[in-house]
Structures are given as structure tokens and as C-alpha cells.
Amino acid sequence: MRFRPLLSIADDGNHIIRNTFNASLIAFIVSSLTSSVGSLIDGVIIGQFLGVDATAAFGLVSPALILFALFGAVIAAGARNRFTMLIGKGDLKGAGGVFTVSVILGVGLAVMMMIPMFLFPDAVCVALGASGSAGHLLDETRGYLLGIAVGFPAMNASRVLTAYMTVDNDRRLPVISSVVLTVTDIGLDLWAAMTGGGTFFMGLATSVSHYAALAVLLWHFRRKDRLTRFSL
């Protein structure tokens, strides 16, 4: 019987750890960019095709999007840490409960933030700065705000689900989801710009792109060996 040297076994272990770390790092970086890539694409295309007023309106809405993304990121990060700890203890039922609550909380918060934007869009736009000397930006600001607000539930759902993917041994889906989001958003934004669509259609294009990216992430739940399971 031949025995492998301990150093060789250690090298194999380091190789596995290194590959796992690199794959997780890439997935984390790509998924982190997902939350900002839609707005980045919108800003570039709006600036190139829709003019100064539309660009200024996009700039007024951006702080609200950053604040919204912050809430989703906090929920995702905190829930993932709790989920990982429970999985380490072997408490699969508790982990399922944490996963379920984080998804419901993330999507529910998005809906709660979306409703006032549809009920009182002008008031929200004025609060964002479309008033006084910038009052002429109200229509453009309202259009982009309503278009992008449609995608709030998908944005938060994607943030929360992506946080679990590396823990649940599915590192490729966040990357694929980000690619789908980017390609879809660029294509729809260019179509909206070429056909004379305003800021509403620009925002709506980004929302549709986020739903497409979410559809990719939901493919994860076809796996039978997944750890992420809904449990009330």
C-alpha cells in the first residue's frame, strides 16, 4: 500500500480552498455590481440620447435608488450570516425560516417603498429636488421614477437570493444573472432611445431587465439538493 506524503495532501487541500475562494470572490464581485449596473447603463444612454434635462432628472432619482439598494443589501448580508451559522449547527429548519423571512422582508420592503411612488409621484419628485428652479424637470423625473419603481421587488429579491447562492454551492447563476441583466438592459434602453421613448421607458427597461435576471436566479430552485427552502 502506497501512502501519499502529508505535504502533497496539504497542497491538494490548499488548491481546493483556493479555487473555492476565487470562485466565490468572482461571484461576489459580479453580484455586487448587479445592483448598480442598471443605473450605470441608464445614465450613459440617457446622457447620450435624451439630452440635458433627462440626464438631470436621472440624477435627481439616483439618491433614492442608492438608499433603496442599501436597505436590500443590509437584509441580504445579515440574513446570509444568520443562515450560514444555522447551517453550520445543522439546524436546517431554522435556516429555512431565516431564508423565508429575508425574502419576504426584502420584497415586502420594496413594495412598501414602491406604493407611495405610484400614489404620490409628484410629491416624491419634489422631495428629490424637482422644484423651484428645477421645477421644469418634474415630468422627466416622474417618468424615470415610475419606470424604475416597477422593478423594485425584483431588485430586492435578486439581492437577497444572490447572497445565498455561494453558500448554497451555486456560484454560476449570479454571474449568468448579471450578464442577462446587462445585455437585456442595454438592448431595451437602446430600443427605447431609438424609438423616441422618454425617461419612463428607460426606467421600465431597467425594471424588465431585473425581472429577467431574477428569473435566472429562480432556476436555482429546480435543484433537489439545495439548502435554501421556503419554510413558514
Side-chain angles (χ1 to χ4, degrees):
M1 179 181 297
R2 296 180 59 186
F3 294 95
R4 297 176 60 190
L6 292 178
L7 183 59
S8 176
I9 297 176
D11 288 342
D12 289 345
N14 291 336
H15 178 72
I16 294 173
I17 294 173
R18 185 164 52 250
N19 287 345
T20 302
F21 174 79
N22 290 336
S24 299
L25 179 63
I26 293 173
F28 176 77
I29 292 174
V30 173
S31 62
S32 297
L33 292 175
T34 300
S35 60
S36 58
V37 68
S39 296
L40 177 63
I41 293 170
D42 283 359
V44 172
I45 296 181
I46 288 174
Q48 290 294 321
F49 292 96
L50 299 189
V52 176
D53 285 352
T55 304
F58 167 78
L60 292 179
V61 177
S62 293
L65 299 181
I66 295 173
L67 179 63
F68 172 74
L70 178 62
F71 285 123
V74 169
I75 294 172
R80 179 188 57 201
N81 293 340
R82 179 67 177 171
F83 178 86
T84 305
M85 184 182 70
L86 292 173
I87 288 294
K89 293 180 177 180
D91 186 0
L92 298 182
K93 184 177 180 179
V98 169
F99 171 72
T100 303
V101 169
S102 64
V103 173
I104 293 175
L105 184 60
V107 175
L109 178 63
V111 173
M112 289 176 61
M113 295 184 68
M114 180 177 66
I115 291 175
M117 294 182 181
F118 281 98
L119 293 179
F120 314 105
D122 288 355
V124 175
C125 292
V126 169
L128 291 174
S131 61
S133 60
H136 63 286
L137 300 176
L138 180 61
D139 290 340
E140 300 277 9
T141 305
R142 184 198 309 115
Y144 186 73
L145 180 69
L146 294 178
I148 199 71
V150 173
F152 278 6
M155 294 177 194
N156 258 10
S158 295
R159 288 188 186 98
V160 174
L161 292 180
T162 298
Y164 291 98
M165 291 299 160
T166 53
V167 179
D168 208 359
N169 195 31
D170 203 344
R171 305 180 191 93
R172 290 187 299 175
L173 274 186
V175 178
I176 297 173
S177 175
S178 296
V179 173
V180 169
L181 170 65
T182 303
V183 173
T184 305
D185 196 22
I186 292 175
L188 291 178
D189 274 357
L190 289 175
W191 174 80
M194 296 300 181
T195 56
T199 53
F200 171 77
F201 288 99
M202 285 291 180
L204 186 62
T206 301
S207 294
V208 172
S209 302
H210 277 282
Y211 280 104
L214 176 61
V216 174
L217 293 176
L218 291 177
W219 194 260
H220 171 79
F221 295 96
R222 292 176 58 90
R223 293 179 45 183
K224 295 182 179 180
D225 61 340
R226 69 184 186 276
L227 297 173
T228 48
R229 297 180 182 275
F230 285 95
S231 173
L232 297 177

